[in-house]
Short mmCIF file of all heavy atoms in Angstrom, two decimals:
data_model
loop_
_atom_site.label_atom_id
_atom_site.label_comp_id
_atom_site.label_asym_id
_atom_site.label_seq_id
_atom_site.Cartn_x
_atom_site.Cartn_y
_atom_site.Cartn_z
N CYS B 821 -19.23 19.57 17.28
CA CYS B 821 -19.59 19.57 15.77
C CYS B 821 -21.12 19.49 15.79
O CYS B 821 -21.74 18.69 16.51
CB CYS B 821 -18.93 18.41 15.11
SG CYS B 821 -19.31 18.46 13.30
N ASN B 822 -21.78 20.46 15.06
CA ASN B 822 -23.19 20.47 15.05
C ASN B 822 -23.70 20.66 13.57
O ASN B 822 -23.12 21.41 12.77
CB ASN B 822 -23.77 21.66 15.87
CG ASN B 822 -23.47 21.49 17.28
OD1 ASN B 822 -24.09 20.67 17.99
ND2 ASN B 822 -22.46 22.22 17.83
N SER B 823 -24.79 19.93 13.33
CA SER B 823 -25.43 19.97 12.03
C SER B 823 -26.91 20.36 12.20
O SER B 823 -27.52 20.08 13.18
CB SER B 823 -25.32 18.62 11.34
OG SER B 823 -26.13 18.55 10.19
N SER B 824 -27.40 21.05 11.15
CA SER B 824 -28.86 21.43 11.23
C SER B 824 -29.77 20.22 10.83
O SER B 824 -30.94 20.27 10.97
CB SER B 824 -29.14 22.59 10.31
OG SER B 824 -28.63 22.37 8.99
N THR B 825 -29.13 19.27 10.22
CA THR B 825 -29.98 18.09 9.77
C THR B 825 -29.42 16.78 10.30
O THR B 825 -28.27 16.80 10.73
CB THR B 825 -29.96 18.09 8.20
OG1 THR B 825 -28.67 17.92 7.69
CG2 THR B 825 -30.58 19.31 7.54
N THR B 826 -30.27 15.80 10.34
CA THR B 826 -29.82 14.53 10.79
C THR B 826 -28.75 13.86 9.76
O THR B 826 -28.87 13.94 8.61
CB THR B 826 -30.97 13.54 10.88
OG1 THR B 826 -31.94 14.15 11.75
CG2 THR B 826 -30.63 12.22 11.39
N LEU B 827 -27.73 13.38 10.42
CA LEU B 827 -26.64 12.82 9.60
C LEU B 827 -26.73 11.25 9.53
O LEU B 827 -27.05 10.63 10.51
CB LEU B 827 -25.31 13.22 10.14
CG LEU B 827 -25.10 14.81 10.36
CD1 LEU B 827 -23.80 15.04 11.11
CD2 LEU B 827 -25.04 15.45 9.04
N SER B 828 -26.28 10.74 8.41
CA SER B 828 -26.23 9.24 8.38
C SER B 828 -25.06 8.76 9.20
O SER B 828 -25.10 7.79 9.93
CB SER B 828 -26.13 8.78 6.93
OG SER B 828 -24.95 9.32 6.30
N ASN B 829 -23.92 9.47 9.05
CA ASN B 829 -22.83 9.10 9.92
C ASN B 829 -21.79 10.34 9.94
O ASN B 829 -22.04 11.31 9.21
CB ASN B 829 -22.05 7.89 9.43
CG ASN B 829 -21.42 8.03 8.14
OD1 ASN B 829 -20.39 8.67 8.00
ND2 ASN B 829 -22.02 7.47 7.14
N ILE B 830 -20.84 10.25 10.83
CA ILE B 830 -19.90 11.38 10.95
C ILE B 830 -18.50 10.75 11.03
O ILE B 830 -18.31 9.78 11.69
CB ILE B 830 -20.27 12.31 12.07
CG1 ILE B 830 -19.54 13.65 11.86
CG2 ILE B 830 -19.99 11.72 13.54
CD1 ILE B 830 -20.19 14.91 12.72
N GLN B 831 -17.52 11.48 10.46
CA GLN B 831 -16.17 11.04 10.56
C GLN B 831 -15.33 12.15 11.16
O GLN B 831 -15.75 13.32 11.08
CB GLN B 831 -15.61 10.73 9.14
CG GLN B 831 -16.37 9.61 8.42
CD GLN B 831 -15.87 9.23 7.06
OE1 GLN B 831 -14.70 9.58 6.74
NE2 GLN B 831 -16.69 8.59 6.28
N TRP B 832 -14.19 11.76 11.76
CA TRP B 832 -13.30 12.72 12.41
C TRP B 832 -11.94 12.53 11.70
O TRP B 832 -11.47 11.35 11.55
CB TRP B 832 -13.18 12.53 13.87
CG TRP B 832 -14.45 13.12 14.62
CD1 TRP B 832 -15.54 12.45 14.95
CD2 TRP B 832 -14.55 14.41 15.10
NE1 TRP B 832 -16.37 13.26 15.63
CE2 TRP B 832 -15.83 14.51 15.72
CE3 TRP B 832 -13.70 15.55 15.09
CZ2 TRP B 832 -16.34 15.67 16.31
CZ3 TRP B 832 -14.21 16.73 15.68
CH2 TRP B 832 -15.52 16.79 16.29
N TYR B 833 -11.30 13.66 11.38
CA TYR B 833 -9.96 13.70 10.80
C TYR B 833 -9.03 14.59 11.60
O TYR B 833 -9.51 15.46 12.23
CB TYR B 833 -10.00 14.08 9.37
CG TYR B 833 -10.74 13.16 8.45
CD1 TYR B 833 -12.06 13.09 8.32
CD2 TYR B 833 -9.97 12.30 7.55
CE1 TYR B 833 -12.76 12.10 7.50
CE2 TYR B 833 -10.59 11.42 6.72
CZ TYR B 833 -11.95 11.38 6.65
OH TYR B 833 -12.50 10.45 5.90
N LYS B 834 -7.74 14.22 11.48
CA LYS B 834 -6.68 15.17 12.16
C LYS B 834 -5.81 15.57 11.01
O LYS B 834 -5.34 14.78 10.26
CB LYS B 834 -5.95 14.41 13.28
CG LYS B 834 -4.81 15.30 13.82
CD LYS B 834 -4.00 14.43 14.84
CE LYS B 834 -2.93 15.26 15.42
NZ LYS B 834 -2.10 14.49 16.47
N GLN B 835 -5.47 16.91 11.05
CA GLN B 835 -4.47 17.40 10.05
C GLN B 835 -3.31 18.06 10.75
O GLN B 835 -3.60 19.11 11.46
CB GLN B 835 -5.19 18.39 9.15
CG GLN B 835 -4.35 18.88 7.97
CD GLN B 835 -5.13 19.70 6.90
OE1 GLN B 835 -6.21 20.16 7.22
NE2 GLN B 835 -4.57 19.73 5.67
N ARG B 836 -2.15 17.61 10.75
CA ARG B 836 -1.02 18.22 11.34
C ARG B 836 -0.63 19.44 10.49
O ARG B 836 -0.85 19.46 9.30
CB ARG B 836 0.13 17.21 11.47
CG ARG B 836 -0.13 16.08 12.35
CD ARG B 836 1.08 15.14 12.42
NE ARG B 836 0.80 13.96 13.27
CZ ARG B 836 1.01 13.92 14.56
NH1 ARG B 836 1.34 15.02 15.28
NH2 ARG B 836 0.75 12.76 15.19
N PRO B 837 0.06 20.28 11.12
CA PRO B 837 0.55 21.58 10.37
C PRO B 837 1.36 21.09 9.16
O PRO B 837 2.21 20.28 9.30
CB PRO B 837 1.45 22.31 11.44
CG PRO B 837 0.81 21.91 12.70
CD PRO B 837 0.37 20.43 12.59
N GLY B 838 1.00 21.59 8.03
CA GLY B 838 1.64 21.28 6.73
C GLY B 838 1.34 19.92 6.20
O GLY B 838 1.89 19.57 5.19
N GLY B 839 0.40 19.18 6.90
CA GLY B 839 0.07 17.87 6.40
C GLY B 839 -1.28 17.81 5.80
O GLY B 839 -1.94 18.82 5.49
N HIS B 840 -1.76 16.52 5.56
CA HIS B 840 -3.02 16.29 4.98
C HIS B 840 -3.97 15.66 6.02
O HIS B 840 -3.48 15.10 6.97
CB HIS B 840 -2.94 15.45 3.70
CG HIS B 840 -2.29 14.21 3.95
ND1 HIS B 840 -0.89 13.96 3.91
CD2 HIS B 840 -2.73 12.95 4.31
CE1 HIS B 840 -0.60 12.75 4.12
NE2 HIS B 840 -1.65 12.03 4.32
N PRO B 841 -5.22 15.68 5.82
CA PRO B 841 -6.16 15.11 6.72
C PRO B 841 -5.95 13.61 6.89
O PRO B 841 -5.76 12.95 5.85
CB PRO B 841 -7.50 15.43 6.18
CG PRO B 841 -7.32 16.55 5.34
CD PRO B 841 -6.01 16.42 4.81
N VAL B 842 -6.01 13.16 8.08
CA VAL B 842 -5.81 11.70 8.36
C VAL B 842 -7.00 11.18 9.15
O VAL B 842 -7.48 11.79 10.17
CB VAL B 842 -4.58 11.38 9.22
CG1 VAL B 842 -4.48 9.92 9.55
CG2 VAL B 842 -3.33 11.82 8.44
N PHE B 843 -7.69 10.05 8.57
CA PHE B 843 -8.88 9.52 9.29
C PHE B 843 -8.68 9.11 10.64
O PHE B 843 -7.57 8.37 10.91
CB PHE B 843 -9.40 8.41 8.34
CG PHE B 843 -10.55 7.67 8.98
CD1 PHE B 843 -11.82 8.17 8.75
CD2 PHE B 843 -10.34 6.43 9.63
CE1 PHE B 843 -12.89 7.42 9.29
CE2 PHE B 843 -11.41 5.83 10.13
CZ PHE B 843 -12.76 6.27 9.94
N LEU B 844 -9.55 9.50 11.51
CA LEU B 844 -9.45 8.97 12.91
C LEU B 844 -10.49 7.87 13.22
O LEU B 844 -10.23 6.82 13.73
CB LEU B 844 -9.59 10.15 13.93
CG LEU B 844 -8.45 11.18 13.94
CD1 LEU B 844 -8.89 12.29 14.88
CD2 LEU B 844 -7.14 10.53 14.30
N ILE B 845 -11.76 8.30 12.95
CA ILE B 845 -12.83 7.31 13.31
C ILE B 845 -14.11 7.73 12.52
O ILE B 845 -14.27 8.85 12.09
CB ILE B 845 -13.06 7.46 14.84
CG1 ILE B 845 -13.56 6.04 15.34
CG2 ILE B 845 -14.00 8.59 15.26
CD1 ILE B 845 -13.32 5.81 16.75
N GLN B 846 -15.00 6.69 12.47
CA GLN B 846 -16.35 7.00 11.96
C GLN B 846 -17.43 6.51 13.02
O GLN B 846 -17.28 5.51 13.56
CB GLN B 846 -16.54 6.21 10.67
CG GLN B 846 -17.99 6.24 10.07
CD GLN B 846 -18.11 5.63 8.70
OE1 GLN B 846 -17.77 6.24 7.64
NE2 GLN B 846 -18.56 4.46 8.71
N LEU B 847 -18.44 7.39 13.16
CA LEU B 847 -19.56 7.06 14.06
C LEU B 847 -20.76 6.95 13.26
O LEU B 847 -21.08 7.79 12.32
CB LEU B 847 -19.69 8.21 15.11
CG LEU B 847 -18.48 8.55 15.91
CD1 LEU B 847 -18.75 9.73 16.77
CD2 LEU B 847 -18.10 7.35 16.83
N VAL B 848 -21.59 5.89 13.58
CA VAL B 848 -22.73 5.58 12.64
C VAL B 848 -24.05 5.58 13.50
O VAL B 848 -25.07 6.01 13.05
CB VAL B 848 -22.56 4.26 12.00
CG1 VAL B 848 -23.74 3.91 11.16
CG2 VAL B 848 -21.31 4.22 11.09
N LYS B 849 -24.04 5.03 14.73
CA LYS B 849 -25.18 4.86 15.53
C LYS B 849 -25.50 5.93 16.39
O LYS B 849 -24.69 6.62 17.01
CB LYS B 849 -25.02 3.54 16.27
CG LYS B 849 -24.81 2.24 15.45
CD LYS B 849 -24.53 1.04 16.33
CE LYS B 849 -24.24 -0.13 15.58
NZ LYS B 849 -23.95 -1.34 16.53
N SER B 850 -26.82 6.17 16.67
CA SER B 850 -27.22 7.21 17.56
C SER B 850 -26.74 6.91 18.94
O SER B 850 -26.79 5.79 19.43
CB SER B 850 -28.82 7.20 17.57
OG SER B 850 -29.28 7.90 18.68
N GLY B 851 -26.17 7.88 19.55
CA GLY B 851 -25.61 7.79 20.96
C GLY B 851 -24.23 7.04 20.98
O GLY B 851 -23.83 6.80 22.12
N GLU B 852 -23.71 6.73 19.88
CA GLU B 852 -22.52 5.88 19.82
C GLU B 852 -21.36 6.60 20.56
O GLU B 852 -21.21 7.80 20.39
CB GLU B 852 -22.15 5.61 18.42
CG GLU B 852 -21.02 4.49 18.29
CD GLU B 852 -20.76 4.06 16.83
OE1 GLU B 852 -21.41 4.74 15.88
OE2 GLU B 852 -20.23 3.04 16.71
N VAL B 853 -20.61 5.86 21.34
CA VAL B 853 -19.27 6.34 21.91
C VAL B 853 -18.18 5.39 21.57
O VAL B 853 -18.37 4.19 21.73
CB VAL B 853 -19.43 6.50 23.48
CG1 VAL B 853 -18.10 6.95 24.12
CG2 VAL B 853 -20.60 7.36 23.96
N LYS B 854 -17.13 5.99 21.02
CA LYS B 854 -15.92 5.11 20.74
C LYS B 854 -14.69 5.76 21.32
O LYS B 854 -14.54 6.99 21.49
CB LYS B 854 -15.77 4.96 19.24
CG LYS B 854 -16.78 4.19 18.51
CD LYS B 854 -16.28 3.91 17.05
CE LYS B 854 -17.31 2.98 16.34
NZ LYS B 854 -16.92 2.79 14.93
N LYS B 855 -13.74 4.97 21.76
CA LYS B 855 -12.55 5.40 22.45
C LYS B 855 -11.33 4.88 21.67
O LYS B 855 -11.30 3.75 21.18
CB LYS B 855 -12.47 4.96 23.84
CG LYS B 855 -13.57 5.59 24.72
CD LYS B 855 -13.28 5.37 26.23
CE LYS B 855 -14.31 6.19 26.95
NZ LYS B 855 -14.07 5.95 28.52
N GLN B 856 -10.38 5.81 21.52
CA GLN B 856 -9.02 5.30 20.99
C GLN B 856 -8.04 6.01 21.98
O GLN B 856 -7.70 7.16 21.92
CB GLN B 856 -8.86 6.01 19.61
CG GLN B 856 -9.61 5.44 18.51
CD GLN B 856 -9.35 6.11 17.09
OE1 GLN B 856 -8.61 7.12 17.08
NE2 GLN B 856 -9.92 5.59 16.06
N LYS B 857 -7.48 5.14 22.88
CA LYS B 857 -6.54 5.60 23.88
C LYS B 857 -7.06 6.76 24.61
O LYS B 857 -8.12 6.70 25.32
CB LYS B 857 -5.17 5.85 23.22
CG LYS B 857 -4.61 4.61 22.51
CD LYS B 857 -3.21 4.90 21.92
CE LYS B 857 -2.67 3.65 21.30
NZ LYS B 857 -1.32 3.85 20.61
N ARG B 858 -6.50 7.92 24.42
CA ARG B 858 -6.98 9.17 25.17
C ARG B 858 -7.98 9.87 24.47
O ARG B 858 -8.51 10.91 24.95
CB ARG B 858 -5.72 10.06 25.33
CG ARG B 858 -4.58 9.48 26.27
CD ARG B 858 -3.44 10.42 26.43
NE ARG B 858 -2.74 10.59 25.13
CZ ARG B 858 -2.86 11.71 24.32
NH1 ARG B 858 -3.58 12.66 24.73
NH2 ARG B 858 -2.20 11.67 23.23
N LEU B 859 -8.50 9.46 23.28
CA LEU B 859 -9.50 10.12 22.46
C LEU B 859 -10.85 9.46 22.69
O LEU B 859 -10.91 8.22 22.62
CB LEU B 859 -9.10 10.07 21.03
CG LEU B 859 -8.13 11.21 20.51
CD1 LEU B 859 -6.76 11.08 21.19
CD2 LEU B 859 -8.03 11.08 18.94
N THR B 860 -11.88 10.25 22.91
CA THR B 860 -13.29 9.74 23.07
C THR B 860 -14.16 10.48 22.14
O THR B 860 -14.18 11.68 22.12
CB THR B 860 -13.80 9.91 24.55
OG1 THR B 860 -12.90 9.27 25.42
CG2 THR B 860 -15.22 9.33 24.62
N PHE B 861 -14.86 9.76 21.36
CA PHE B 861 -15.73 10.25 20.25
C PHE B 861 -17.21 9.93 20.59
O PHE B 861 -17.42 8.84 21.04
CB PHE B 861 -15.39 9.73 18.89
CG PHE B 861 -13.97 9.92 18.50
CD1 PHE B 861 -13.04 9.01 18.88
CD2 PHE B 861 -13.66 10.90 17.63
CE1 PHE B 861 -11.65 9.14 18.46
CE2 PHE B 861 -12.34 11.11 17.20
CZ PHE B 861 -11.40 10.20 17.65
N GLN B 862 -18.04 10.93 20.43
CA GLN B 862 -19.44 10.75 20.70
C GLN B 862 -20.41 11.18 19.57
O GLN B 862 -20.03 12.15 18.89
CB GLN B 862 -19.92 11.48 22.04
CG GLN B 862 -19.31 10.82 23.27
CD GLN B 862 -19.88 11.53 24.46
OE1 GLN B 862 -20.22 12.71 24.49
NE2 GLN B 862 -20.11 10.77 25.52
N PHE B 863 -21.36 10.49 19.30
CA PHE B 863 -22.36 10.88 18.34
C PHE B 863 -23.71 11.13 19.04
O PHE B 863 -24.21 10.20 19.89
CB PHE B 863 -22.58 9.72 17.31
CG PHE B 863 -23.16 10.17 15.93
CD1 PHE B 863 -23.39 11.47 15.64
CD2 PHE B 863 -23.48 9.22 15.03
CE1 PHE B 863 -23.81 11.88 14.44
CE2 PHE B 863 -23.98 9.61 13.73
CZ PHE B 863 -24.20 10.92 13.49
N GLY B 864 -24.30 12.21 18.88
CA GLY B 864 -25.51 12.58 19.60
C GLY B 864 -26.69 11.63 19.32
O GLY B 864 -26.82 10.91 18.31
N GLU B 865 -27.69 11.63 20.33
CA GLU B 865 -28.85 10.83 20.21
C GLU B 865 -29.68 11.11 18.98
O GLU B 865 -30.20 10.15 18.30
CB GLU B 865 -29.69 10.91 21.39
CG GLU B 865 -29.08 10.41 22.73
CD GLU B 865 -28.98 8.88 22.75
OE1 GLU B 865 -29.68 8.19 21.92
OE2 GLU B 865 -28.17 8.38 23.55
N ALA B 866 -29.66 12.35 18.60
CA ALA B 866 -30.46 12.71 17.45
C ALA B 866 -29.63 12.76 16.08
O ALA B 866 -30.13 13.08 15.04
CB ALA B 866 -31.00 14.16 17.59
N LYS B 867 -28.39 12.27 16.24
CA LYS B 867 -27.48 12.24 15.06
C LYS B 867 -27.35 13.58 14.38
O LYS B 867 -27.28 13.62 13.21
CB LYS B 867 -27.95 11.18 14.06
CG LYS B 867 -27.99 9.80 14.75
CD LYS B 867 -28.25 8.63 13.70
CE LYS B 867 -27.15 8.35 12.84
NZ LYS B 867 -27.44 7.20 11.97
N LYS B 868 -27.27 14.67 15.24
CA LYS B 868 -27.08 15.97 14.69
C LYS B 868 -25.82 16.64 15.23
O LYS B 868 -25.52 17.77 14.84
CB LYS B 868 -28.34 16.87 15.02
CG LYS B 868 -29.58 16.60 14.16
CD LYS B 868 -30.64 17.54 14.50
CE LYS B 868 -31.75 17.34 13.61
NZ LYS B 868 -32.95 18.37 13.85
N ASN B 869 -25.23 16.01 16.22
CA ASN B 869 -24.04 16.54 16.85
C ASN B 869 -23.05 15.53 17.18
O ASN B 869 -23.41 14.32 17.40
CB ASN B 869 -24.41 17.45 17.97
CG ASN B 869 -25.09 16.73 19.01
OD1 ASN B 869 -24.53 16.00 19.82
ND2 ASN B 869 -26.45 16.84 19.14
N SER B 870 -21.83 15.90 17.44
CA SER B 870 -20.75 14.92 17.81
C SER B 870 -19.67 15.77 18.50
O SER B 870 -19.58 16.98 18.46
CB SER B 870 -20.13 14.34 16.46
OG SER B 870 -19.19 13.44 16.84
N SER B 871 -18.93 15.02 19.25
CA SER B 871 -17.81 15.62 19.93
C SER B 871 -16.61 14.73 20.00
O SER B 871 -16.71 13.58 19.86
CB SER B 871 -18.22 16.00 21.39
OG SER B 871 -18.49 14.86 22.10
N LEU B 872 -15.45 15.38 20.13
CA LEU B 872 -14.10 14.63 20.34
C LEU B 872 -13.46 15.24 21.55
O LEU B 872 -13.32 16.47 21.67
CB LEU B 872 -13.25 14.85 19.12
CG LEU B 872 -11.69 14.76 19.24
CD1 LEU B 872 -11.35 13.36 19.73
CD2 LEU B 872 -11.00 15.02 18.05
N HIS B 873 -13.19 14.34 22.50
CA HIS B 873 -12.58 14.65 23.72
C HIS B 873 -11.22 14.10 23.80
O HIS B 873 -11.12 12.78 23.61
CB HIS B 873 -13.44 14.33 24.97
CG HIS B 873 -12.86 14.69 26.21
ND1 HIS B 873 -13.02 15.93 26.81
CD2 HIS B 873 -12.13 13.99 27.09
CE1 HIS B 873 -12.39 15.97 27.96
NE2 HIS B 873 -11.92 14.78 28.19
N ILE B 874 -10.16 14.90 24.18
CA ILE B 874 -8.87 14.30 24.39
C ILE B 874 -8.45 14.52 25.84
O ILE B 874 -8.50 15.66 26.38
CB ILE B 874 -7.81 14.98 23.48
CG1 ILE B 874 -8.19 14.80 22.07
CG2 ILE B 874 -6.41 14.39 23.79
CD1 ILE B 874 -7.17 15.52 21.12
N THR B 875 -8.09 13.44 26.49
CA THR B 875 -7.77 13.52 27.90
C THR B 875 -6.25 13.64 27.97
O THR B 875 -5.50 13.00 27.28
CB THR B 875 -8.14 12.16 28.55
OG1 THR B 875 -9.59 12.02 28.52
CG2 THR B 875 -7.84 12.23 30.10
N ALA B 876 -5.85 14.56 28.93
CA ALA B 876 -4.46 14.72 29.21
C ALA B 876 -3.63 14.93 27.94
O ALA B 876 -2.82 14.10 27.47
CB ALA B 876 -3.91 13.52 30.01
#
Side-chain angles (χ1 to χ4, degrees):
Chain B
C821 185
N822 293 286
S823 169
S824 56
T825 59
T826 303
L827 305 172
S828 60
N829 65 75
I830 196 159
Q831 299 181 18
W832 285 90
Y833 290 79
K834 176 183 178 181
Q835 187 171 22
R836 294 183 184 273
H840 56 274
V842 174
F843 175 82
L844 294 176
I845 209 156
Q846 176 173 275
L847 304 172
V848 179
K849 300 177 183 177
S850 168
E852 189 170 17
V853 178
K854 287 188 176 180
K855 293 190 176 183
Q856 289 180 350
K857 297 182 180 179
R858 294 178 294 103
L859 278 61
T860 302
F861 303 84
Q862 291 189 323
F863 202 7
E865 293 290 342
K867 300 184 74 173
K868 289 185 177 182
N869 58 77
S870 181
S871 65
L872 158 60
H873 179 83
I874 302 178
T875 303

